[in-house]
Amino acid sequence: MADIAIVVDSRGGNTRNVAGAIAEELGVSAGDLTAPLPAEAKLLFLGSGTYGSAPGIEMMKFVTDNDFTGRRVALFGTSMTESGAQTMIAALEDALTRKGATVIGRYHCRGRFLVFSRGRPNAEDLDAAKKFAREMLRSG
């Protein structure tokens, strides 16, 4: 599916695990921020870990450096806390909207940080990420 791209910013591997589940469900590969934004991708899944209740610096640079006009974007992420994830996703959505994107959905789950939230994301979280991917694909 050349019209779908998954791009992830993950320092600890939690968000990369979620990206992997989404990629597996959709039959595509998850990319990182070093690859250029594929011109043919009409549906983008962008994921970031939460760092101080904000998206990763590299993800924000990726958003700033690219044109998202006319693109549908599904956001996903991981965080140790619910409020941190909501704040991070909102910041990413705001930046993307200003760059012309239409955000069609959001997904987040807990991620392990040091000794907190051990075992997360777990199989249930990854199954929910796959369900999210299917829903975003059907959304238009």
Side-chain angles (χ1 to χ4, degrees):
M1 293 187 188
D3 59 340
I4 297 174
I6 302 169
V7 179
V8 63
D9 182 6
S10 180
R11 293 183 201 161
N14 298 319
T15 310
R16 180 156 304 283
N17 288 341
V18 173
I22 292 169
E24 179 183 321
E25 186 64 26
L26 299 177
V28 299
S29 297
D32 60 33
L33 299 168
T34 60
L37 185 62
E40 68 277 5
K42 303 298 181 221
L43 174 58
L44 302 169
F45 287 82
L46 297 182
S48 179
T50 304
Y51 310 102
S53 295
I57 293 169
E58 293 301 315
M59 176 57 78
M60 292 306 287
K61 182 176 179 348
F62 182 81
V63 170
T64 300
D65 290 351
N66 285 284
D67 180 14
F68 292 88
T69 303
R71 295 185 193 243
R72 295 177 305 125
V73 180
L75 301 176
F76 65 96
T78 58
S79 177
M80 190 177 72
T81 67
E82 178 81 18
S83 63
Q86 289 176 352
T87 303
M88 181 278 290
I89 296 266
L92 195 50
E93 182 172 359
D94 181 58
L96 283 159
T97 301
R98 284 186 274 124
K99 294 291 289 191
T102 300
V103 175
I104 62 168
R106 296 143 207 86
Y107 173 75
H108 62 83
C109 66
R110 287 204 176 232
R112 170 188 35 80
F113 176 70
L114 301 176
V115 298
F116 305 101
S117 298
R118 284 187 182 193
R120 302 297 293 271
N122 59 27
E124 201 171 293
D125 298 325
L126 299 179
D127 284 344
K130 289 178 180 182
K131 180 181 177 195
F132 169 72
R134 290 189 303 272
E135 290 170 355
M136 296 302 98
L137 196 57
R138 283 192 298 266
S139 73

